[in-house]
């Protein structure tokens, strides 16, 4: 046999041994060698598939974890930011909520039993200034300001150690320096506070006659005869006295012939009211308002006028160190000394908290804690 024929024969044998033939039914030919090869191929396929699955799972898990972590972080950050913004907004709204919104009265008053044109009335009998925001908040002050009405205490500190209660309490001679009267006009005899409905709270400078009897100083009225300080639509609901916003003016007698005239904007008054045979009483009273830039300039002008007079009070020697006589110039020096502006009073009357370096800041928040005792008002004093 030739070498070519022998090689050809061997190739045929190898092909028959390892070949796979398919009939019309696709039946697999399975000789022993083919089965072994097929098994080996199947095992390899399964191993490869398992390895691929494991690798794919690991890769997918890692990628999914990374993606999930990133997505979770982003979502958490967004959610946290939104929650923080909402919380901050709510906190800011709460801080800026006007002062008496949270107060609730103890219950309806007894019917009034006093009589006369100025029944029921009361006199300011206690006057205190909170010295820090925490104590102001605890006392019921609710002003749109981080300082919550404590700026005035800094202003009075410039005058030294001032006992504000001494302004409204009788001295050793029984005389009262600051007589501020409050008449609740429209509250008829025999009516409770709930029955009284809408009232007008008129405030007057008083002239003392006896410990519980007073007259109204004519300076309390305009040229047309109307009270200068009044709050229409005042309500006494379940014993809670509550005024709407209005302007309020009070002269604090720091020393003789040296009144500190405060004109407060957007002022509200609240307190708990009871009645007796003489008039009405108030406890836990809160007066909150805003001393605007213009009002401070008026205040400085008044001080400069007093100190430029023929007989200036001793206190002028103290204030002369920071007052030049020019109100606008003095304003720039005085406001930082008392902590700066802390509120913004807009032209439409809206008020918001602000920081001293904001151009919108134009007011100092003021909170005064007060009490009132029942008194009789016997009429208007004659002009001297």
């Amino acid at each position: 046999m030739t070498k070519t024929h022998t090689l050809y024969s061997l190739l045929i044998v190898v092909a028959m041994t390892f070949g796979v033939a398919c009939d019309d039914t696709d039946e697999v030919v399975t000789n022993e060698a083919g089965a072994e090869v097929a098994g080996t191929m199947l095992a390899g396929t399964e191993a490869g598939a398992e390895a691929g699955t494991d690798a794919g799972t690991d890769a997918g898990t890692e990628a999914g974890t990374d993606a999930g972590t990133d997505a979770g972080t982003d979502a958490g950050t967004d959610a946290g930011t939104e929650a923080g913004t909402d919380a901050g907004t709510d906190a800011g709204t709460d801080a800026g909520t006007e002062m008496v919104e949270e107060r609730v009265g103890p219950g309806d008053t007894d019917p009034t039993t006093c009589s006369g044109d100025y029944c029921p009335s009361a006199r300011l009998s206690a006057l205190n200034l909170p010295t820090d925001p925490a104590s102001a908040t605890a006392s019921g002050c609710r002003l749109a300001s981080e300082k919550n009405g404590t700026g005035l205490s800094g202003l009075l500190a410039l005058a030294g150690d001032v006992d504000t209660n001494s302004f409204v309490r009788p001295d050793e001679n029984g005389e009262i320096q600051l007589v501020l009267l409050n008449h609740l006009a429209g509250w008829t005899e025999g009516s409770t506070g709930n029955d009284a409905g809408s009232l007008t709270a008129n405030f007057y400078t008083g002239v003392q006659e006896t410990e519980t009897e007073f007259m109204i100083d004519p300076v309390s009225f305009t040229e047309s005869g109307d009270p200068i300080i009044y709050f229409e639509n005042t309500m006494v609901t379940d014993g809670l006295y509550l005024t709407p916003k209005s302007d309020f003016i009070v002269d604090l007698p720091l020393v003789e012939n040296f009144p500190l005239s405060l004109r407060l904007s957007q002022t509200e008054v609240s307190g708990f009211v009871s009645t007796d045979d003489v008039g009405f009483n108030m406890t836990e009273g809160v007066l909150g308002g805003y001393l605007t830039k213009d009002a401070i300039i008026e205040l400085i002008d008044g001080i400069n006028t007093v100190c430029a007079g023929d007989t200036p009070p001793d206190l002028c020697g103290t204030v002369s160190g920071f007052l030049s006589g020019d109100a606008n110039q003095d304003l720039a020096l005085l406001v930082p000394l008392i902590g700066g502006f802390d509120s913004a009073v807009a032209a439409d009357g809206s008020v918001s908290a602000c920081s001293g370096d904001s151009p919108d800041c134009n007011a100092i928040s003021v909170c005064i804690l007060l009490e009132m005792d029942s008194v009789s008002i016997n009429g208007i004093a004659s002009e001297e």
Side-chain angles (χ1 to χ4, degrees), residues 102 135 160 248 308 320:
E102 301 174 4
S135 62
F248 189 87
S320 62

Side-chain angles (χ1 to χ4, degrees), residues 4 20 66 70 75 193 200 223 279 368 380:
T4 301
V20 178
D66 291 343
D70 292 342
T200 299
E223 292 182 358
I368 300 175
I380 303 172

